[in-house]
Amino acid sequence: MDRFQRRPSWLFTVTVIIPFLLSTLYFGVLASDVYVSESQFVVRSPEKPSASGLGILLQSAGFANAGEEVFTAKAFAESRDALRALNTNDAYRKAYTRPEISIFDRFNPFGWGGSFEDLFSYFSSHVQINADPTTSISTLTVRAYSAQDAYWINRKLLQMSEATVNNLNERGQGDLVRYATVEVEAAKKDAEQASLALARLRNRSGIVDPEKQAEAQLQMISKLQDELIASKTQLAQLKAFTPENPQIPTLQERVRAIQGEINEQSGLLVGKRSSLASSAVEFQRRMLENQLAEKQLSSALAALADAKNEARRQQVYVERIVDPNLPDEPIEPRRLRGILATLAIGFAAWGILAMLIAGVREHGN
């Protein structure tokens, strides 16, 4: 009876002994060796400041960390596109379906699920990028079942991440200059239209500058008025002292001619539909439009020059800190730690369940 009671209980067997034996079998015999290849990189930009230690160090050399591009590189390296590129000619799938890999670690060991989504799920569990926000250093870790595969995948992903950042950089530069060029072309077109409209108005009215032309006509009218006053004075003196003087009709005709010329010049200046005063409003509008168009063109050209300078200066690129390593021995799985962890978890589960069962029994009694 005592011998029977000293046997392990079913709860202890289920929570501790069986998991321990299975863990020992897996980690001791079945689990395949895992080779881990790591690389580290940072995405740098000469215009984005950073307050971190490494960022200050890089900034002192004229560079800063580019936060958005880091996450872009991370997102691409963990994406389906990256896996699709790696799996060209089925290379990635073959690397993880070799027969020497344990069936517990091999991809699709029984042939039940070999879709691309299954492969992507498997890929996500073997590739990891950690971006340290304090240093902006990203660590790319690849786990594989041979040293060459881990090194090859890590190197390939790093190259594709570099290409992705370079493509984004080139696209951003192109967009910046392209948008500025479109603005310049639109401003050129507006300036050309405003200039042509002003030229057509000048040809139609025969006036180049209404202000200067009005000033010249006013001077002419002023001179005519002086002559008119002088002629009228002379005519009045002749009528008063020599009423029979034969120059009187000539002076009277001269006064009428001068008055007619004054009326004509005044009509050109104001009053008529084709006078300078009537054309001045449209001239002012056309000249204002022309000046605004020229200023817009000047601003657009300055913006294009700034955009080109910005594009030349906005160089974002991946700087490798640590190249992918070729591991010379597997570092995973950590077999002893796995067995001990399974044992610890089993004991914890057994203790908790044993107390619960004892509590239930006491409550029933």
Side-chain angles (χ1 to χ4, degrees):
M1 185 65 178
D2 294 339
R3 183 180 179 184
F4 178 75
Q5 289 178 344
R6 284 196 298 273
R7 288 181 180 177
S9 66
W10 65 269
L11 181 62
F12 187 81
T13 301
V14 170
T15 56
V16 178
I17 295 178
I18 293 177
F20 173 73
L21 292 177
L22 292 176
S23 174
T24 303
L25 177 64
Y26 173 73
F27 286 109
V29 180
L30 299 177
S32 297
D33 293 334
V34 177
Y35 294 83
V36 178
S37 177
E38 285 189 351
S39 61
Q40 290 184 330
F41 64 89
V42 62
V43 181
R44 299 204 296 184
S45 168
E47 63 173 359
K48 295 182 179 181
S50 173
S52 66
L54 183 60
I56 294 174
L57 179 63
L58 295 175
Q59 193 174 0
S60 64
F63 298 98
N65 303 317
E68 296 176 358
E69 287 77 6
V70 170
F71 293 107
T72 301
K74 180 179 185 299
F76 176 79
E78 296 175 344
S79 69
R80 289 174 174 79
D81 288 343
L83 173 60
R84 195 171 288 109
L86 281 174
N87 199 38
T88 304
N89 297 325
D90 232 12
Y92 185 84
R93 188 187 298 267
K94 290 177 182 175
Y96 288 91
T97 54
R98 292 195 175 97
E100 57 266 27
I101 302 173
S102 165
I103 60 172
F104 295 98
D105 300 320
R106 191 189 314 162
F107 172 69
N108 191 24
F110 305 107
W112 294 342
S115 66
F116 184 80
E117 288 301 321
D118 293 332
L119 186 63
F120 177 70
S121 178
Y122 187 87
F123 166 78
S124 299
S125 65
H126 287 74
V127 173
Q128 187 177 16
I129 292 185
N130 291 319
D132 190 339
T134 58
T135 62
S136 296
I137 296 176
S138 298
T139 302
L140 172 60
T141 305
V142 175
R143 289 175 171 79
Y145 300 101
S146 75
Q148 291 294 338
D149 288 340
Y151 172 74
W152 163 69
I153 294 170
N154 197 320
R155 184 168 55 85
K156 188 71 175 176
L157 284 175
L158 192 57
Q159 290 174 351
M160 290 192 294
S161 298
E162 290 173 346
T164 301
V165 173
N166 291 335
N167 290 335
L168 288 175
N169 190 37
E170 292 175 0
R171 191 183 307 169
Q173 292 174 355
D175 289 344
L176 194 64
V177 175
R178 185 165 54 254
Y179 293 147
T181 304
V182 170
E183 292 295 328
V184 167
E185 294 300 324
K188 281 183 178 179
K189 188 175 180 180
D190 292 342
E192 183 179 357
Q193 291 178 349
S195 179
L196 288 175
L198 182 59
R200 285 195 294 268
L201 178 60
R202 283 171 173 165
N203 292 331
R204 188 172 64 250
S205 63
I207 301 171
V208 177
D209 190 334
E211 291 185 0
K212 292 182 178 178
Q213 192 157 344
E215 185 179 352
Q217 287 185 337
L218 285 174
Q219 290 177 357
M220 182 184 297
I221 292 172
S222 178
K223 290 179 180 178
L224 291 172
Q225 286 176 341
D226 292 342
E227 292 181 10
L228 179 63
I229 292 172
S231 299
K232 283 184 176 180
T233 302
Q234 186 179 1
L235 179 61
Q237 289 176 350
L238 289 176
K239 284 183 176 179
F241 298 107
T242 56
E244 301 298 329
N245 194 317
Q247 293 182 357
I248 291 176
T250 305
L251 282 174
Q252 289 175 338
E253 183 63 27
R254 178 179 176 81
V255 169
R256 283 194 295 271
I258 293 173
Q259 185 63 54
E261 185 63 23
I262 290 174
N263 294 337
E264 178 68 20
Q265 293 301 323
S266 297
L268 292 175
L269 192 61
V270 295
K272 297 180 180 179
R273 293 185 60 186
S274 60
S275 64
L276 287 175
S278 300
S279 304
V281 176
E282 189 175 0
F283 258 100
Q284 288 292 335
R285 184 170 64 85
R286 294 296 183 187
M287 292 180 73
L288 183 60
E289 290 177 353
N290 191 45
Q291 290 173 359
L292 289 176
E294 288 178 351
K295 288 183 179 179
Q296 287 179 350
L297 177 59
S298 178
S299 299
L301 288 172
L304 177 60
D306 291 342
K308 289 181 178 178
N309 292 332
E310 188 74 9
R312 283 193 292 269
R313 193 162 58 90
Q314 197 175 26
Q315 296 291 333
V316 180
Y317 56 92
V318 172
E319 180 71 18
R320 294 189 186 188
I321 298 176
V322 178
D323 283 329
N325 67 300
L326 178 62
D328 57 355
E329 66 174 354
I331 61 174
E332 292 181 358
R334 293 178 173 84
R335 301 178 187 277
L336 182 58
R337 190 176 70 173
I339 294 172
L340 293 178
T342 304
L343 192 61
I345 294 173
F347 272 115
W350 171 72
I352 294 172
L353 291 174
M355 286 189 292
L356 287 175
I357 292 173
V360 171
R361 286 177 177 172
E362 288 180 0
H363 182 73
N365 293 332

